[in-house]
Amino acid sequence: MIDVSYYPGCSLEGTAKDYRESIETVCERVGIKLHELEDWNCCGATAAHSLSHKAAINLSARNLTIAEKAGMDLVIPCALCFNRMKAAEKVLLGPYRREYAYRFEGSIKIWDLLDFFCQDRVKAEIARRFKRPLKGLKPVCYYGCMANRPPTITDARNWENPTNMDELLSFLGAEVIDWPYKTDCCGASHVVARPDIVFNLVYKLFDMAERVGANCIVVSCQMCQANLDMYQDEISKKFNRDFYFPILYFTELVGMAIGEKQVNRWLTKHFVSAKPLIESVGLNL
Amino acid sequence: MSVQTPQTIVPDYSFLKKVEFESKIKASACFQCRKCTNGCPVTFAMDFYPDQILRFIHLGLRDLVLNCATIWVCASCETCTTRCPNEIDIAGLMDYLKESAEKEGIGIKDNKTYMFHRVFLDDVKKRGRVHELRLMNEYMLKTGEGVKKLKDDSWKQDLKLGLGMLTKGRLPLLPKGIKNKKEVKRILENID
């Protein structure tokens, strides 16, 4: 059993409940025990770092203090929460730490959930429960921005061309397709005030995914998932195309590979139905 | 938000000094290689390119950079910061400029991106966490987007997505708060 602290973040309590369910179930199945941080608060997201550097750092720092007290490494699924927590870590271990209200000694490691899953010890647990290879799934891995950039904050090793998700999905037997837009931006929270920007960015992703012959897009960030999934119809119409890309969480693919029946329920919570794809490749449970 | 570039510029380096002192970001290290602009995914929506913003800071064109659309169009994807050969945190500078614009009340009127951020932080201030449904309602009310959507019929698309979320169990109607709301409120109160 691997014990870790867990920071779900606000959207996993709401619009990304599907991601949360898949994370918590899959972790339990592969022997990861998630301990939700006591009384965690919002990281402040883009709003805080846009309007107050200081408040943004303090908001995340409060969570880090709680996590350090709990004494276990901290796992964060949301790429932006992860990024904000790492930014606070760097500040609290840097020369200006006295300007902030919280202390952090750096005694625990802050993990992006995907990266945590890509450890050999977790892969070994998955291998022990492996039921069937995900043959026929031809995903492109979409990593997005925040889990990797900037590397001075995230400590990512391959920020221009990350490969950990590609390796994990290949390990699950999926026929992963390489593509050049792994870490291109989806526009994130601009979708509220500037959907025009998001639609342009996401259209480019779909267009490239189609050109390289992918049949689905796999993500590890719920903001990427929402922007690619919820607006796929609208983007298809706007650009006069007929895109069909189920936008799947990597945890759902782990679930499929270990034969977890709840996968079906998680998939019905997406806007673009994965059912036609799953049935066409014979992966239905 | 279109702004005219002045014809004659008398450089005023005091703004550059202020920016560097307050943001702790070395804007003066820019040698205008334009790598930031070449990698930026949202230049199509900007009025000035990121490298131009750096140059404007050097020249002391404070009003121009605080009034421009670019700082609000920046998606904080961190590509520029990652690739800058002089290690300038360009996305961090964009944040610093947004924060300055808010402090001085410049360029934030009728600015929907700003309003979204403001409403977001107000929501966090109340309960320590964001509740997406309330956030969206507040945003629609405060920006007048809700009324606009009613007039141009785009509310139908929003309703479709909202109902979709609701039936998929992804839109809890009641917010969750944290126990220590006061502490979070205190963090957020110091910024105004």
Side-chain angles (χ1 to χ4, degrees), chain B residues 112-158:
Chain B
K112 285 191 277 177
T113 310
Y114 165 73
M115 280 310 292
F116 177 67
H117 294 332
R118 192 70 262 168
V119 168
F120 189 104
L121 289 187
D122 288 345
D123 202 56
V124 178
K125 211 192 260 180
K126 278 179 210 146
R127 288 173 306 274
R129 288 182 197 168
V130 153
H131 184 246
E132 290 154 318
L133 188 62
R134 289 191 177 212
L135 172 64
M136 288 313 293
N137 285 345
E138 278 292 298
Y139 172 80
M140 291 292 170
L141 279 173
K142 292 232 164 106
T143 54
E145 274 293 283
V147 178
K148 206 182 118 219
K149 281 177 179 296
L150 281 176
K151 284 187 185 148
D152 71 7
D153 262 12
S154 59
W155 63 273
K156 287 178 185 161
Q157 177 64 17
D158 284 29

Side-chain angles (χ1 to χ4, degrees), chain A residues 9-57:
Chain A
C10 302
S11 56
L12 267 74
E13 292 200 316
T15 50
K17 261 190 161 170
D18 46 346
Y19 192 21
R20 183 170 190 157
E21 280 179 32
S22 73
I23 290 166
E24 293 178 0
T25 307
V26 166
C27 280
E28 197 190 313
R29 296 287 183 273
V30 302
I32 300 169
K33 191 160 187 326
L34 300 172
H35 301 263
E36 187 168 333
L37 272 196
E38 182 72 30
D39 211 37
W40 58 268
N41 61 273
C42 172
C43 75
T46 311
H49 76 69
S50 294
L51 299 186
S52 169
H53 174 73
K54 192 160 200 171
I57 297 299

Side-chain angles (χ1 to χ4, degrees), chain B residues 12-188:
Chain B
D12 170 8
Y13 300 116
S14 62
F15 183 58
L16 173 64
K17 277 189 188 155
K18 183 175 184 277
V19 169
E20 291 198 336
F21 176 74
E22 290 181 357
S23 71
K24 300 169 185 118
I25 298 169
K26 202 155 177 56
S28 58
C30 172
F31 54 32
Q32 295 281 292
C33 73
R34 312 193 85 190
K35 206 173 175 184
C36 49
T37 296
N38 281 311
C40 176
V42 285
T43 47
F44 66 87
M46 288 177 166
D47 48 1
F48 297 111
Y49 294 137
D51 68 277
Q52 290 180 297
I53 298 295
L54 264 296
R55 194 71 184 122
F56 293 163
I57 293 173
H58 295 169
L59 294 168
L61 303 177
R62 176 186 157 278
D63 292 350
L64 198 60
V65 292
L66 294 187
N67 263 305
C68 72
T70 294
I71 57 175
W72 300 99
V73 167
C74 168
S76 311
C77 78
E78 305 280 349
T79 307
C80 51
T81 297
T82 300
R83 292 180 183 170
C84 175
N86 295 329
E87 297 175 2
I88 305 169
D89 179 5
I90 301 158
L93 271 178
M94 297 292 174
D95 279 345
Y96 168 79
L97 294 170
K98 278 178 267 192
E99 192 171 339
S100 306
E102 190 203 29
K103 263 186 206 150
E104 310 206 15
I106 298 174
I108 54 173
K109 199 173 165 280
D110 300 327
N111 178 337
K112 285 191 277 177
T113 310
Y114 165 73
M115 280 310 292
F116 177 67
H117 294 332
R118 192 70 262 168
V119 168
F120 189 104
L121 289 187
D122 288 345
D123 202 56
V124 178
K125 211 192 260 180
K126 278 179 210 146
R127 288 173 306 274
R129 288 182 197 168
V130 153
H131 184 246
E132 290 154 318
L133 188 62
R134 289 191 177 212
L135 172 64
M136 288 313 293
N137 285 345
E138 278 292 298
Y139 172 80
M140 291 292 170
L141 279 173
K142 292 232 164 106
T143 54
E145 274 293 283
V147 178
K148 206 182 118 219
K149 281 177 179 296
L150 281 176
K151 284 187 185 148
D152 71 7
D153 262 12
S154 59
W155 63 273
K156 287 178 185 161
Q157 177 64 17
D158 284 29
L159 184 71
K160 201 175 113 194
L161 291 176
L163 286 176
M165 279 286 179
L166 203 63
T167 51
K168 290 170 198 300
R170 287 169 59 185
L171 206 61
L173 300 175
L174 293 175
K176 276 189 186 174
I178 69 167
K179 279 182 236 151
N180 206 339
K181 294 181 193 71
K182 271 191 192 154
E183 194 181 342
V184 171
K185 200 174 168 209
R186 210 179 309 132
I187 292 174
L188 285 165

Side-chain angles (χ1 to χ4, degrees), chain A residues 227-244:
Chain A
N227 280 352
L228 272 65
D229 180 44
M230 286 179 70
Y231 306 98
Q232 202 169 121
D233 267 2
E234 227 174 315
I235 292 167
S236 284
K237 265 183 219 137
K238 190 178 169 203
F239 292 92
N240 209 11
R241 298 284 288 270
D242 191 18
F243 293 121
Y244 170 63

